[in-house]
Protein backbone atom coordinates (compact mmCIF):
# COMPACT_ATOMS: atom_id res chain seq x y z
CA UNK A 1 0.00 0.00 0.00
CA UNK A 2 1.19 3.52 -0.66
CA UNK A 3 0.12 4.83 2.75
CA UNK A 4 -0.39 2.84 5.91
CA UNK A 5 -3.95 3.10 7.16
CA UNK A 6 -2.73 3.13 10.73
CA UNK A 7 -0.78 6.30 10.05
CA UNK A 8 -3.94 7.92 8.71
CA UNK A 9 -6.33 7.03 11.47
CA UNK A 10 -3.90 7.85 14.27
CA UNK A 11 -3.59 11.49 13.26
CA UNK A 12 -5.20 13.80 15.72
CA UNK A 13 -5.47 11.06 18.32
CA UNK A 14 -4.12 12.00 21.74
CA UNK A 15 -3.26 8.37 22.52
CA UNK A 16 -0.25 6.81 20.75
CA UNK A 17 -1.17 3.76 18.71
CA UNK A 18 1.94 1.90 19.79
CA UNK A 19 0.47 1.37 23.25
CA UNK A 20 -2.20 -1.11 24.30
CA UNK A 21 -5.62 0.42 24.89
CA UNK A 22 -8.74 -0.88 26.61
CA UNK A 23 -10.45 -3.31 24.24
CA UNK A 24 -13.31 -0.96 23.35
CA UNK A 25 -10.91 1.87 22.48
CA UNK A 26 -8.56 -0.45 20.60
CA UNK A 27 -11.41 -1.67 18.41
CA UNK A 28 -12.99 1.76 18.05
CA UNK A 29 -9.75 3.12 16.60
CA UNK A 30 -9.49 0.18 14.27
CA UNK A 31 -13.08 0.50 13.08
CA UNK A 32 -12.52 4.13 12.09
CA UNK A 33 -10.66 2.74 9.09
CA UNK A 34 -14.04 1.86 7.60
CA UNK A 35 -14.73 5.60 7.37
CA UNK A 36 -11.61 6.28 5.29
CA UNK A 37 -11.29 6.14 1.49
CA UNK A 38 -10.30 2.70 0.28
CA UNK A 39 -6.75 2.43 -0.99
CA UNK A 40 -6.56 1.45 -4.67
CA UNK A 41 -4.11 -1.25 -3.55
CA UNK A 42 -6.37 -2.72 -0.85
CA UNK A 43 -6.84 -6.46 -0.80
CA UNK A 44 -9.92 -7.43 -2.74
CA UNK A 45 -10.92 -11.03 -2.33
CA UNK A 46 -14.04 -12.48 -3.92
CA UNK A 47 -16.61 -13.61 -1.34
CA UNK A 48 -16.49 -17.36 -0.74
CA UNK A 49 -19.49 -19.38 -1.88
CA UNK A 50 -22.37 -19.87 0.54
CA UNK A 51 -22.18 -22.89 2.82
CA UNK A 52 -24.56 -24.89 4.93
CA UNK A 53 -23.97 -24.94 8.67
CA UNK A 54 -22.69 -28.52 8.51
CA UNK A 55 -20.23 -27.55 5.77
CA UNK A 56 -19.11 -24.54 7.80
CA UNK A 57 -18.32 -26.70 10.81
CA UNK A 58 -16.44 -29.15 8.58
CA UNK A 59 -14.29 -26.30 7.24
CA UNK A 60 -13.48 -25.20 10.81
CA UNK A 61 -12.33 -28.74 11.54
CA UNK A 62 -10.12 -28.67 8.46
CA UNK A 63 -8.54 -25.42 9.65
CA UNK A 64 -7.52 -26.79 13.05
CA UNK A 65 -6.37 -30.08 11.52
CA UNK A 66 -4.12 -28.18 9.09
CA UNK A 67 -2.76 -25.50 11.40
CA UNK A 68 -2.54 -26.99 14.89
CA UNK A 69 -1.94 -30.68 15.12
CA UNK A 70 -1.43 -30.39 18.89
CA UNK A 71 -4.83 -28.83 19.56
CA UNK A 72 -6.54 -31.08 17.03
CA UNK A 73 -5.08 -34.05 18.89
CA UNK A 74 -6.15 -32.74 22.30
CA UNK A 75 -9.69 -31.80 21.30
CA UNK A 76 -10.37 -35.37 20.20
CA UNK A 77 -10.90 -36.18 23.87
CA UNK A 78 -13.81 -33.74 24.23
CA UNK A 79 -17.46 -34.81 23.94
CA UNK A 80 -18.62 -34.36 20.29
CA UNK A 81 -20.67 -31.16 20.68
CA UNK A 82 -18.01 -29.41 22.74
CA UNK A 83 -15.28 -30.70 20.43
CA UNK A 84 -17.02 -29.08 17.47
CA UNK A 85 -17.48 -25.81 19.35
CA UNK A 86 -13.87 -25.61 20.57
CA UNK A 87 -12.54 -26.39 17.10
CA UNK A 88 -14.74 -23.62 15.73
CA UNK A 89 -13.30 -21.25 18.32
CA UNK A 90 -9.82 -22.20 17.13
CA UNK A 91 -10.82 -21.64 13.50
CA UNK A 92 -12.23 -18.21 14.39
CA UNK A 93 -8.99 -17.27 16.16
CA UNK A 94 -6.85 -18.57 13.32
CA UNK A 95 -8.86 -16.80 10.64
CA UNK A 96 -8.73 -13.55 12.62
CA UNK A 97 -4.94 -13.88 12.89
CA UNK A 98 -4.61 -14.65 9.19
CA UNK A 99 -6.59 -11.53 8.35
CA UNK A 100 -3.57 -9.58 9.57
CA UNK A 101 -0.71 -11.91 8.69
CA UNK A 102 -1.87 -12.90 5.21
CA UNK A 103 -3.10 -9.52 3.93
CA UNK A 104 -0.84 -8.37 1.12
CA UNK A 105 -1.53 -4.64 1.12
CA UNK A 106 -3.55 -3.25 4.01
CA UNK A 107 -3.81 -5.58 7.02
CA UNK A 108 -5.31 -2.89 9.23
CA UNK A 109 -8.26 -2.29 6.96
CA UNK A 110 -8.70 -6.02 6.39
CA UNK A 111 -8.88 -6.60 10.14
CA UNK A 112 -11.21 -3.63 10.60
CA UNK A 113 -13.71 -5.14 8.17
CA UNK A 114 -13.39 -8.58 9.76
CA UNK A 115 -13.91 -7.11 13.25
CA UNK A 116 -16.96 -5.15 12.08
CA UNK A 117 -18.64 -8.39 11.04
CA UNK A 118 -17.22 -10.67 13.75
CA UNK A 119 -18.34 -8.52 16.67
CA UNK A 120 -21.92 -9.26 15.74
CA UNK A 121 -21.76 -12.77 14.30
CA UNK A 122 -24.80 -13.67 12.27
CA UNK A 123 -26.05 -16.61 10.31
CA UNK A 124 -24.50 -15.40 7.08
CA UNK A 125 -23.43 -18.09 4.65
CA UNK A 126 -20.88 -15.81 2.93
CA UNK A 127 -18.08 -16.90 5.29
CA UNK A 128 -18.08 -20.46 6.65
CA UNK A 129 -16.04 -19.69 9.77
CA UNK A 130 -18.34 -16.85 10.80
CA UNK A 131 -21.38 -19.00 10.10
CA UNK A 132 -20.15 -21.75 12.43
CA UNK A 133 -18.91 -19.16 14.93
CA UNK A 134 -22.32 -17.45 15.05
CA UNK A 135 -23.96 -20.77 15.80
CA UNK A 136 -21.40 -21.55 18.51
CA UNK A 137 -21.80 -18.14 20.15
CA UNK A 138 -25.56 -18.56 20.24
CA UNK A 139 -25.52 -22.14 21.51
CA UNK A 140 -23.16 -21.38 24.39
CA UNK A 141 -24.06 -17.72 24.99
CA UNK A 142 -20.41 -16.70 24.78
CA UNK A 143 -19.58 -13.36 26.37
CA UNK A 144 -19.24 -10.52 23.82
CA UNK A 145 -16.76 -8.67 26.05
CA UNK A 146 -14.38 -11.64 25.90
CA UNK A 147 -14.65 -11.75 22.11
CA UNK A 148 -13.82 -8.04 22.04
CA UNK A 149 -10.72 -8.68 24.17
CA UNK A 150 -9.62 -11.40 21.75
CA UNK A 151 -10.08 -9.14 18.73
CA UNK A 152 -8.28 -6.29 20.49
CA UNK A 153 -5.34 -8.61 21.10
CA UNK A 154 -5.03 -9.33 17.39
CA UNK A 155 -5.33 -5.59 16.69
CA UNK A 156 -2.32 -5.00 18.97
CA UNK A 157 -0.14 -6.77 16.41
CA UNK A 158 -0.87 -3.97 13.94
CA UNK A 159 0.68 -1.23 16.06
CA UNK A 160 2.84 -2.88 18.72
CA UNK A 161 5.99 -4.78 17.77
CA UNK A 162 7.91 -4.35 21.03
CA UNK A 163 7.01 -4.91 24.69
CA UNK A 164 8.83 -3.00 27.41
CA UNK A 165 8.10 -5.34 30.31
CA UNK A 166 6.56 -8.75 30.96
CA UNK A 167 3.54 -6.97 32.42
CA UNK A 168 2.99 -5.41 28.99
CA UNK A 169 3.41 -8.77 27.29
CA UNK A 170 1.04 -10.38 29.81
CA UNK A 171 -1.85 -8.23 28.52
CA UNK A 172 -1.17 -9.38 24.96
CA UNK A 173 -0.96 -13.03 26.06
CA UNK A 174 -4.14 -12.64 28.08
CA UNK A 175 -6.05 -11.26 25.12
CA UNK A 176 -4.93 -13.68 22.44
CA UNK A 177 -4.66 -16.85 24.56
CA UNK A 178 -6.10 -16.60 28.07
CA UNK A 179 -9.34 -15.24 26.69
CA UNK A 180 -9.52 -18.32 24.48
CA UNK A 181 -9.32 -20.42 27.64
CA UNK A 182 -12.11 -18.40 29.24
CA UNK A 183 -14.25 -18.93 26.13
CA UNK A 184 -13.50 -22.66 26.31
CA UNK A 185 -14.81 -22.58 29.88
CA UNK A 186 -17.91 -20.90 28.48
CA UNK A 187 -18.33 -23.93 26.22
CA UNK A 188 -17.42 -26.71 28.65
CA UNK A 189 -18.48 -25.23 31.94
CA UNK A 190 -16.33 -25.17 35.10
CA UNK A 191 -16.58 -24.92 38.85
CA UNK A 192 -16.16 -21.51 40.51
CA UNK A 193 -12.54 -20.41 40.71
CA UNK A 194 -11.42 -21.96 37.42
CA UNK A 195 -10.82 -18.66 35.60
CA UNK A 196 -7.47 -17.69 37.19
CA UNK A 197 -6.05 -21.09 36.25
CA UNK A 198 -7.31 -20.69 32.67
CA UNK A 199 -5.64 -17.30 32.48
CA UNK A 200 -2.27 -18.69 33.60
CA UNK A 201 -2.54 -21.62 31.19
CA UNK A 202 -3.27 -19.21 28.34
CA UNK A 203 -0.19 -17.13 29.13
CA UNK A 204 1.91 -20.30 29.31
CA UNK A 205 0.63 -21.47 25.92
CA UNK A 206 1.23 -18.09 24.28
CA UNK A 207 4.69 -17.75 25.80
CA UNK A 208 5.46 -21.19 24.36
CA UNK A 209 4.32 -19.93 20.97
CA UNK A 210 6.52 -16.87 21.31
CA UNK A 211 9.60 -18.92 22.19
CA UNK A 212 8.95 -21.36 19.35
CA UNK A 213 8.32 -18.64 16.74
CA UNK A 214 11.11 -16.15 17.47
CA UNK A 215 12.55 -16.51 13.96
CA UNK A 216 9.19 -16.26 12.17
CA UNK A 217 8.25 -13.19 14.21
CA UNK A 218 11.61 -11.58 13.43
CA UNK A 219 10.77 -11.96 9.74
CA UNK A 220 7.72 -9.76 10.47
CA UNK A 221 9.90 -7.31 12.44
CA UNK A 222 8.19 -8.33 15.68
CA UNK A 223 9.99 -9.03 18.95
CA UNK A 224 7.70 -10.18 21.72
CA UNK A 225 10.38 -10.83 24.35
CA UNK A 226 10.27 -7.93 26.86
CA UNK A 227 12.94 -5.31 26.29
CA UNK A 228 13.91 -5.02 29.95
CA UNK A 229 14.51 -8.78 30.09
CA UNK A 230 16.51 -8.68 26.87
CA UNK A 231 18.66 -5.98 28.47
CA UNK A 232 19.13 -8.14 31.59
CA UNK A 233 20.90 -10.68 29.37
CA UNK A 234 22.85 -8.07 27.41
CA UNK A 235 20.60 -8.15 24.33
CA UNK A 236 18.34 -5.76 22.43
CA UNK A 237 15.38 -6.19 20.11
CA UNK A 238 17.70 -5.41 17.21
CA UNK A 239 19.87 -8.37 18.23
CA UNK A 240 16.83 -10.64 17.92
CA UNK A 241 16.06 -9.22 14.48
CA UNK A 242 19.69 -9.86 13.56
CA UNK A 243 19.26 -13.44 14.85
CA UNK A 244 22.02 -13.20 17.40
CA UNK A 245 22.59 -16.71 18.75
CA UNK A 246 25.12 -16.90 21.55
CA UNK A 247 25.40 -17.59 25.29
CA UNK A 248 23.39 -14.48 26.08
CA UNK A 249 20.52 -15.67 23.93
CA UNK A 250 20.67 -19.19 25.38
CA UNK A 251 20.54 -17.84 28.94
CA UNK A 252 17.55 -15.69 27.98
CA UNK A 253 15.78 -18.71 26.51
CA UNK A 254 16.46 -20.80 29.61
CA UNK A 255 14.95 -18.05 31.75
CA UNK A 256 11.83 -17.78 29.59
CA UNK A 257 11.36 -21.57 29.41
CA UNK A 258 11.56 -21.80 33.19
CA UNK A 259 8.89 -19.10 33.48
CA UNK A 260 6.61 -20.90 31.02
CA UNK A 261 7.00 -24.17 32.91
CA UNK A 262 6.17 -22.44 36.17
CA UNK A 263 2.98 -21.06 34.62
CA UNK A 264 2.02 -24.53 33.37
CA UNK A 265 2.58 -25.91 36.88
CA UNK A 266 0.53 -23.16 38.51
CA UNK A 267 -2.34 -23.68 36.07
CA UNK A 268 -2.46 -27.47 36.48
CA UNK A 269 -4.72 -27.62 39.60
CA UNK A 270 -7.41 -25.85 37.59
CA UNK A 271 -7.93 -29.02 35.55
CA UNK A 272 -9.76 -30.46 38.57
CA UNK A 273 -12.32 -27.64 38.39
CA UNK A 274 -13.44 -28.68 34.91
CA UNK A 275 -16.20 -31.21 34.23
CA UNK A 276 -14.79 -34.78 34.38
CA UNK A 277 -15.49 -35.41 30.68
CA UNK A 278 -13.28 -32.52 29.53
CA UNK A 279 -10.34 -32.80 31.93
CA UNK A 280 -8.26 -35.15 29.80
CA UNK A 281 -8.60 -32.93 26.72
CA UNK A 282 -7.43 -29.76 28.49
CA UNK A 283 -4.71 -31.64 30.34
CA UNK A 284 -3.50 -33.12 27.05
CA UNK A 285 -3.44 -29.68 25.46
CA UNK A 286 -1.33 -28.34 28.32
CA UNK A 287 1.09 -31.26 28.54
CA UNK A 288 1.52 -31.77 24.80
CA UNK A 289 2.07 -28.07 24.17
CA UNK A 290 4.51 -27.76 27.06
CA UNK A 291 6.44 -30.52 25.30
CA UNK A 292 7.42 -27.90 22.73
CA UNK A 293 9.65 -26.41 25.42
CA UNK A 294 11.48 -29.75 25.64
CA UNK A 295 11.99 -29.67 21.88
CA UNK A 296 13.37 -26.14 22.00
CA UNK A 297 15.95 -27.38 24.49
CA UNK A 298 16.76 -30.36 22.28
CA UNK A 299 17.26 -27.90 19.40
CA UNK A 300 19.90 -26.12 21.52
CA UNK A 301 17.51 -23.18 21.94
CA UNK A 302 17.75 -22.32 18.24
CA UNK A 303 14.30 -20.90 17.49
CA UNK A 304 15.64 -18.94 14.55
CA UNK A 305 16.17 -21.79 12.11
CA UNK A 306 14.55 -24.84 13.75
CA UNK A 307 10.84 -25.13 14.51
CA UNK A 308 10.13 -27.13 17.66
CA UNK A 309 7.20 -29.53 17.59
CA UNK A 310 6.02 -32.74 19.26
CA UNK A 311 5.57 -35.63 16.80
CA UNK A 312 2.34 -37.62 16.92
CA UNK A 313 4.02 -40.74 18.32
CA UNK A 314 5.30 -38.72 21.28
CA UNK A 315 1.87 -37.17 21.86
CA UNK A 316 0.39 -40.64 22.04
CA UNK A 317 3.21 -41.83 24.31
CA UNK A 318 2.44 -39.01 26.75
CA UNK A 319 -1.23 -39.95 27.10
CA UNK A 320 -0.95 -42.64 29.81
CA UNK A 321 1.01 -40.29 32.07
CA UNK A 322 -1.44 -37.46 31.42
CA UNK A 323 -4.39 -39.73 32.16
CA UNK A 324 -2.75 -40.89 35.39
CA UNK A 325 -2.06 -37.33 36.54
CA UNK A 326 -5.63 -36.25 35.77
CA UNK A 327 -6.86 -39.25 37.75
CA UNK A 328 -4.71 -38.08 40.66
CA UNK A 329 -6.27 -34.62 40.51
CA UNK A 330 -9.74 -36.15 40.47
CA UNK A 331 -8.95 -38.24 43.54
CA UNK A 332 -7.75 -35.16 45.43
CA UNK A 333 -10.97 -33.35 44.51
CA UNK A 334 -13.13 -36.19 45.84
CA UNK A 335 -11.44 -36.27 49.26
Amino acid sequence: MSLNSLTIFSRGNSLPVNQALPAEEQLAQLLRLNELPVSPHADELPPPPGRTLAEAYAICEQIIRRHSKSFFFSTQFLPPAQRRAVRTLYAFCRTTDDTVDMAESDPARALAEWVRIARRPRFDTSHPVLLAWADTCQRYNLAPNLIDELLAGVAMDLTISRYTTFADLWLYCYRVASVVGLLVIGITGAAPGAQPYAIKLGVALQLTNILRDIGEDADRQRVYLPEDELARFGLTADDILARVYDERFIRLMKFQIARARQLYAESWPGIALLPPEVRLAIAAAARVYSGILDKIEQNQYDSYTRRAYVPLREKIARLPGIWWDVRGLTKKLSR
Side-chain angles (χ1 to χ4, degrees):
M1 61 187 160
S2 58
L3 190 61
N4 190 313
S5 294
L6 291 173
T7 303
I8 302 172
F9 90 88
S10 64
R11 288 175 184 165
N13 190 336
S14 59
L15 290 169
V17 296
N18 63 346
Q19 293 182 6
L21 303 172
E24 280 293 327
E25 293 180 43
Q26 194 98 38
L27 296 179
Q29 285 201 354
L30 182 67
L31 289 169
R32 287 176 199 158
L33 292 177
N34 287 323
E35 303 168 6
L36 300 173
V38 178
S39 165
H41 304 291
D43 294 285
E44 293 184 6
L45 299 175
R51 306 280 185 177
T52 67
L53 186 58
E55 289 172 331
Y57 273 116
I59 288 170
C60 290
E61 179 154 334
Q62 292 168 12
I63 290 172
I64 188 172
R65 184 191 290 268
R66 182 167 64 250
H67 292 289
S68 183
K69 293 179 173 58
S70 292
F71 287 125
F72 181 81
F73 175 80
S74 302
T75 54
Q76 297 203 83
F77 304 109
L78 288 170
Q82 294 171 338
R83 180 193 313 145
R84 185 177 72 168
V86 171
R87 287 177 174 178
T88 298
L89 168 59
Y90 175 89
F92 174 73
C93 296
R94 180 72 197 201
T95 307
T96 303
D97 265 345
D98 286 349
T99 301
V100 174
D101 292 340
M102 306 301 288
E104 294 181 359
S105 61
D106 198 339
R109 192 184 292 273
L111 182 62
E113 178 59 19
W114 176 259
V115 166
R116 183 185 66 79
I117 301 170
R119 290 184 84 190
R120 292 173 178 81
R122 59 190 190 277
F123 292 95
D124 183 343
T125 60
S126 65
H127 199 293
V129 171
L130 287 181
L131 174 59
W133 178 237
D135 185 60
T136 297
C137 289
Q138 183 184 77
R139 285 175 185 269
Y140 294 96
N141 194 27
L142 297 181
N145 65 302
L146 288 179
I147 299 168
D148 278 357
E149 288 286 348
L150 174 61
L151 294 169
V154 178
M156 287 170 68
D157 273 336
L158 292 168
T159 58
I160 303 173
S161 59
R162 305 287 187 278
Y163 290 87
T164 304
T165 67
F166 185 63
D168 298 324
L169 182 63
W170 182 282
L171 174 61
Y172 174 75
C173 293
Y174 167 78
R175 284 179 166 174
V176 300
S178 298
V179 165
V180 176
L182 296 175
L183 289 168
V184 169
I185 286 177
I187 292 168
T188 65
Q195 286 78 4
Y197 295 103
I199 289 170
K200 283 191 175 183
L201 178 57
V203 175
L205 293 169
Q206 188 60 29
L207 184 55
T208 302
N209 275 339
I210 288 168
L211 297 176
R212 180 194 63 192
D213 296 341
I214 288 174
E216 292 178 21
D217 291 329
D219 291 340
R220 298 187 176 103
Q221 299 300 301
R222 294 179 193 161
V223 178
Y224 290 99
L225 298 172
E227 292 181 312
D228 64 339
E229 294 177 358
L230 288 168
R232 187 188 310 175
F233 292 94
L235 295 164
T236 67
D238 286 341
D239 290 328
I240 301 301
L241 296 182
R243 299 172 180 265
V244 169
Y245 177 72
D246 56 17
E247 281 301 316
R248 295 172 299 166
F249 179 78
I250 290 172
R251 285 189 288 112
L252 170 69
M253 291 292 285
K254 288 180 177 179
F255 170 79
Q256 298 294 347
I257 287 173
R259 166 187 277 158
R261 285 187 171 136
Q262 181 65 30
L263 286 166
Y264 280 116
E266 291 174 2
S267 71
W268 182 255
I271 301 292
L273 300 176
L274 299 171
E277 65 272 16
V278 304
R279 288 174 192 165
L280 180 60
I282 305 305
R287 288 287 174 83
V288 168
Y289 221 70
S290 67
I292 293 173
L293 301 174
D294 302 333
K295 297 301 179 181
I296 292 173
E297 290 173 333
Q298 291 174 23
N299 290 342
Q300 303 300 310
Y301 306 96
D302 179 8
S303 289
Y304 293 122
T305 64
R306 303 180 69 181
R307 183 177 177 85
Y309 70 97
V310 179
L312 178 60
R313 65 181 181 278
E314 292 187 28
K315 293 172 186 172
I316 295 171
R318 288 172 183 258
L319 278 178
I322 296 169
W323 177 84
W324 185 258
D325 288 345
V326 170
R327 187 170 177 265
L329 279 175
T330 303
K331 282 186 174 181
K332 287 181 183 178
L333 189 66
S334 63
R335 288 174 186 169

